[in-house]
Amino acid sequence: MAVKSVHYGEIVEVTFKFPNEGYKVHPALVVSGSELQEDEDGMFYAVLISSKNHSPKYTLKLKDEWLTRPMPKHSYFVTHFMTYFSPDEVTQSYRTSVKSKYMDVILCKVVKSIFELDIDIE
């Protein structure tokens, strides 16, 4: 199911390439905005969502109250695993998004996980 565009905070399904494991389909949180998509032919960045908590240091539990509609499984944001995609790589939309007031919490964890910066959003 190719889509024309995705939205910041939306949860979609895409195929991630994993080191030493090949490709696997997973839900993902769109963390880039519409300007990047417009400037770069639809390109967007997304953070992996997994039902398994393999790397607790780098995960953040996805809470149902953070979403506009709950996910089907108990899941985690894998905050050190972010990749870019194009809209034609979206295999499904979960028809849910992270509420805007929780995006800062998630993005802070992503920045801390990837760049080791200690920032806090108040």
Side-chain angles (χ1 to χ4, degrees):
M1 169 186 140
V3 297
K4 284 189 162 198
S5 65
V6 295
H7 306 283
Y8 175 76
E10 181 180 357
I11 296 180
V12 296
E13 185 176 83
V14 289
T15 303
F16 281 87
K17 181 174 183 337
F18 289 87
N20 304 320
E21 294 183 37
Y23 294 88
K24 293 183 182 179
V25 175
H26 272 274
L29 172 65
V30 177
V31 294
S32 55
S34 58
E35 186 175 339
L36 177 64
Q37 289 182 60
E38 291 167 11
D39 291 347
E40 294 296 332
D41 294 325
M43 182 179 100
F44 66 95
Y45 282 87
V47 171
L48 174 71
I49 297 174
S50 178
S51 61
K52 295 180 176 73
N53 191 8
H54 289 298
S55 303
K57 180 178 177 181
Y58 299 108
T59 59
L60 185 62
K61 185 178 178 182
L62 191 160
K63 300 176 184 178
D64 285 344
E65 62 266 21
W66 289 10
L67 302 174
T68 57
R69 199 175 98 191
M71 291 284 288
K73 288 183 178 180
H74 176 81
S75 300
Y76 299 87
F77 296 104
V78 184
T79 60
H80 69 298
F81 208 109
M82 182 171 60
T83 306
Y84 68 90
F85 298 95
S86 66
D88 62 344
E89 294 176 278
V90 174
T91 56
Q92 170 182 327
S93 171
Y94 280 83
R95 292 180 169 58
T96 189
S97 298
V98 172
K99 295 174 184 173
S100 60
K101 65 183 178 180
Y102 299 111
M103 283 298 292
D104 287 343
V105 173
I106 298 162
L107 292 176
C108 274
K109 179 70 173 172
V110 169
V111 169
K112 286 179 182 181
S113 296
I114 295 174
F115 302 106
E116 297 183 9
L117 296 175
D118 192 18
I119 61 170
D120 288 311
I121 302 291
E122 294 185 31

